Amino acid sequence: MRRFVVAVLATVMVALPTGQGACAETASRASPDVVSWGECPGGTALPALECGTLKVPLDYRDPDGKSIDLAISRLAAPSPHKRRGVLLTNAGGPGEPGLSYPLVLKYYGVPQSVLDAYDVIGFDPRGVGHSTPVTCDLEGEATATANIPEYALGPADVAKRAVYAADVAEKCGSAATAPMLAHISTANTARDMDRIRAALGEPKISYLGISYGTYLGSVYTTLFPQRSAQFVLDSAMGPEGSGPSASRGFGEGVEDRFPDFARFLSEHPEYGFGTSVERIRRKYFEIAARLDARPRPDGFDGKRFRKVTFEKLYLDQWLPQLAAIWRAVDTGRPLPPAPPSEVPPGQPADNPVAAQLAVLCNDRDWPESVAAYQRNVEADRSRYPMFGAAGANIWPCAFWPTEPSEPPVKITDRGPSNVLIVQNLRDPSTPLSGARELREAFGERARMVTADQGGHLAYLFLKNRCLNDATTKFLVTGERPRSDVACAAEPGPD
């Protein structure tokens, strides 16, 4: 998930010059700081944004103890007396920096009516980027590969991955920031959001979160329902959030999404894969098996082929890149150059991975038995043969050095009717089934708008006028659809 938003941010930068109740009460009683706005941190190049820093408790059970920094940004509404309030945003991940995200929304065409209605607020979540960062002291390939497991060809691969995962977890537990790791969680990030609300002097916040940000928004509006205004959850995780079920959802998501890529190839015979969608699906397994048996001289093997295919299914505009990779692999030509991975200057190279693992491992108590993951891999290989044996593989969370400090926040239907879930029908990362489960958990608190299109992220990114208009209307006026809406495939103007 992380690489997707990093690529989007890079595009924008080029284009632009205890129990949950007790902790929630503690957060609400604490005296907030006031944000002083100024220039954004060096190296971020964020025109039109103001930035500031807010101190928050590392441990909300000890609000007067050690504090950490949160880096916050603001894209101010042009007419303060006309604005509706503040719109907090989250760019997903977890582990994804968010200072730039207000500009991402502007770049992708968020309507002026939304910009007029809100000060759009971005922030690097706790442990991430220009907020006080965490590290696991990972180096080299581990800084890019610890977050999504590799495809397991059999039980031996799961056992091999377990050794690697245990080593990652041990490094996280012995790194310089290890004392922070246990406090990097979704619930604590939601409490940080409420500190941001208080520091900005706002009685309520509105919210737009994508991918993992849908779970963060769900947790916030569950912990602080009366401080929530309009909440938009785009490309939704299920109510269990970013735990084992979310990882296993990758297998389902690839099966849902792959036919769109197969149709793209069938409509572009210049790539050389023919016009039969079913034959193209068989070609996927043929190439993967060939690379499993004999990797390319550059080290590109079947596992990398499957993972790259998964990643490039995220956006329609990436399908030509994926087609070029397939053609290069199938014909033995050099691979197209990969975009560089970027980390904010002065931050640990492994910070996004370390922060992501901390959230994943602290939000849920993951299974610790290697045999359990081996069974899950075989089950998902059968159910979702394209990528299920990757999504079900073992994570460092199985060996995490600390246990979760509190139970997961249970998403329920208690609270105001102020949630809008927007979702593509064929999402490779957060499949439709999870969004439906979240919709059911919220009950009458939520409405859902679906669009007959594929890819990860719905609002603004794929120009579906039906979905975009419903979302914008909700943000600007607070008016939700009376019932769930199913939008046809209807791309808007370029």
Side-chain angles (χ1 to χ4, degrees):
M1 289 174 278
R2 179 177 68 85
R3 287 183 177 179
F4 164 69
V5 183
V6 168
V8 171
L9 290 174
T11 300
V12 172
M13 292 301 100
V14 169
L16 292 171
T18 260
Q20 63 193 51
C23 286
E25 292 172 3
T26 300
S28 65
R29 288 198 304 265
S31 299
D33 292 335
V34 176
V35 179
S36 297
W37 299 108
E39 292 185 0
C40 290
T44 52
L46 304 177
L49 286 187
E50 305 166 285
C51 289
T53 302
L54 179 66
K55 296 284 186 182
V56 298
L58 173 63
D59 184 350
Y60 276 96
R61 297 167 300 184
D62 183 16
D64 297 321
K66 180 178 175 59
S67 64
I68 56 175
D69 290 339
L70 286 185
I72 307 169
S73 66
R74 177 176 69 174
L75 182 62
S79 301
H81 65 283
K82 293 182 179 179
R83 74 178 181 90
R84 186 181 185 94
V86 296
L87 179 69
L88 266 69
T89 61
N90 181 269
E96 191 61 50
L99 281 185
S100 307
Y101 199 62
L103 293 184
V104 173
L105 294 174
K106 189 173 183 179
Y107 175 80
Y108 274 91
V110 66
Q112 187 62 43
S113 58
V114 175
L115 299 178
D116 289 341
Y118 296 102
D119 291 342
V120 183
I121 306 297
F123 69 105
D124 285 354
R126 60 170 47 212
V128 176
H130 291 284
S131 296
T132 304
V134 294
T135 179
C136 288
D137 291 337
L138 304 177
E139 298 177 350
E141 187 73 8
T143 64
T145 61
N147 54 346
I148 297 177
E150 63 183 14
Y151 189 93
L153 297 176
D157 273 354
V158 180
K160 180 180 177 181
R161 176 76 183 184
V163 174
Y164 169 78
D167 179 64
V168 169
E170 182 179 2
K171 288 179 178 177
C172 292
S174 59
T177 58
M180 287 180 57
L181 285 179
H183 306 289
I184 309 299
S185 68
T186 298
N188 281 335
T189 303
R191 294 169 185 129
D192 292 343
M193 288 170 54
D194 202 56
R195 291 294 294 254
I196 294 172
R197 175 203 60 79
L200 297 178
E202 299 288 335
K204 295 184 178 182
I205 61 170
S206 291
Y207 179 81
L208 172 58
I210 63 173
S211 195
Y212 160 76
T214 63
Y215 181 57
L216 174 60
S218 298
V219 169
Y220 180 90
T221 198
T222 297
L223 292 177
F224 305 102
Q226 302 309 319
R227 297 174 192 166
S228 307
Q230 284 74 248
F231 267 54
V232 174
L233 310 179
D234 183 345
S235 304
M237 286 183 164
E240 292 187 2
S242 51
S245 62
S247 178
R248 296 181 72 177
F250 297 156
E252 178 183 358
V254 170
E255 299 286 346
D256 290 345
R257 170 63 164 158
F258 185 81
D260 291 332
F261 176 57
R263 281 189 289 272
F264 172 85
L265 287 179
S266 71
E267 294 165 1
H268 293 83
E270 66 270 21
Y271 289 107
F273 292 99
T275 58
S276 166
V277 170
E278 183 54 38
R279 185 185 183 284
I280 291 168
R281 177 181 170 87
R282 291 197 301 270
K283 189 68 173 181
Y284 171 88
F285 294 106
E286 175 192 318
I287 293 174
R290 185 198 320 159
L291 292 172
D292 288 336
R294 187 174 182 179
R296 286 165 52 101
D298 59 11
F300 193 90
D301 60 11
K303 296 172 183 178
R304 290 182 64 186
F305 170 72
R306 294 177 180 94
K307 186 175 181 182
V308 167
T309 298
F310 164 66
E311 292 173 342
K312 294 297 183 182
L313 291 175
Y314 270 49
L315 288 181
D316 281 352
Q317 52 262 50
W318 291 356
L319 298 186
Q321 301 173 33
L322 180 56
I325 292 170
W326 271 46
R327 180 169 57 187
V329 170
D330 196 43
T331 60
R333 299 175 186 174
L335 292 169
S341 179
E342 297 184 10
V343 176
Q347 305 303 320
D350 73 334
N351 174 243
V353 169
Q356 182 177 72
L357 288 175
V359 172
L360 298 180
C361 302
N362 290 328
D363 279 2
R364 293 271 162 185
D365 190 7
W366 289 59
E368 298 176 6
S369 165
V370 175
Y373 291 94
Q374 290 172 326
R375 290 192 296 271
N376 291 343
V377 162
E378 293 312 309
D380 283 12
R381 185 196 315 282
S382 175
R383 290 197 301 168
Y384 311 120
M386 301 191 81
F387 203 64
N393 205 349
I394 195 165
W395 288 69
C397 299
F399 309 99
W400 201 243
T402 61
E403 296 295 323
S405 61
E406 59 182 311
V409 176
K410 182 176 176 59
I411 310 303
T412 72
D413 60 357
R414 294 189 294 273
S417 299
N418 63 346
V419 176
L420 185 68
I421 301 168
V422 295
Q423 182 77 22
N424 296 329
L425 294 185
R426 299 177 299 281
D427 188 317
S429 180
T430 54
L432 178 63
S433 60
R436 286 174 169 161
E437 291 173 4
L438 183 65
R439 169 68 177 86
E440 182 178 357
F442 272 125
E444 284 304 304
R445 288 203 66 187
R447 293 288 184 268
M448 185 160 75
V449 179
T450 57
D452 184 5
Q453 57 195 21
H456 190 50
L457 305 191
Y459 182 51
L460 305 177
F461 284 81
L462 292 182
K463 308 300 182 186
N464 185 289
R465 289 172 294 189
C466 167
L467 182 144
N468 286 349
D469 289 351
T471 307
T472 298
K473 182 178 182 179
F474 174 62
L475 286 171
V476 173
T477 69
E479 183 179 341
R480 298 185 312 171
R482 293 185 177 181
S483 59
D484 291 350
V485 176
C487 295
E490 182 195 351
D494 293 335

